[in-house]
Amino acid sequence: MLLAVVLLVVLPLLFVNGEFGGADDAAEGAITEIDPAYKPWFKPLAELPGETESMLFALQAAIGAGVIGYTLGLLKGRQGRQKLNDQKN
């Protein structure tokens, strides 16, 4: 099963040739196609390299998963304690 997971990850990277763009790039392309004279309302404070943007996105996802996992664990622990207290009484 581990081999199947590794193949599912590696094979698309080896055999799929294409550019992986984000939603921001797709939206910018669509807006430019609709109205070539469009001027953005503001510019970003800094243009980050793609690797840095990916790292920040992954960090954001990891923090969110940690918060959700902690909350679920806390609620499950409280539920378990409540059941123990109910059984003692």
Side-chain angles (χ1 to χ4, degrees):
M1 184 171 284
L2 181 62
L3 179 63
V5 171
V6 170
L7 288 175
L8 284 172
V9 171
V10 173
L11 289 177
L13 294 174
L14 294 176
F15 294 111
V16 176
N17 293 329
E19 190 168 322
F20 299 99
D24 293 341
D25 295 334
E28 184 180 348
I31 291 169
T32 304
E33 185 178 314
I34 293 169
D35 183 10
Y38 175 76
K39 298 280 188 217
W41 292 358
F42 59 89
K43 292 186 179 192
L45 298 175
E47 288 289 331
L48 300 175
E51 296 84 9
T52 305
E53 286 180 356
S54 296
M55 184 267 308
L56 290 174
F57 183 76
L59 180 63
Q60 177 186 359
I63 291 171
V67 168
I68 291 171
Y70 175 79
T71 303
L72 290 175
L74 184 67
L75 293 174
K76 185 69 174 169
R78 285 182 183 172
Q79 183 182 22
R81 260 191 314 224
Q82 184 65 34
K83 284 183 182 180
L84 282 175
N85 287 338
D86 290 343
Q87 288 176 355
K88 288 181 181 178
N89 295 331

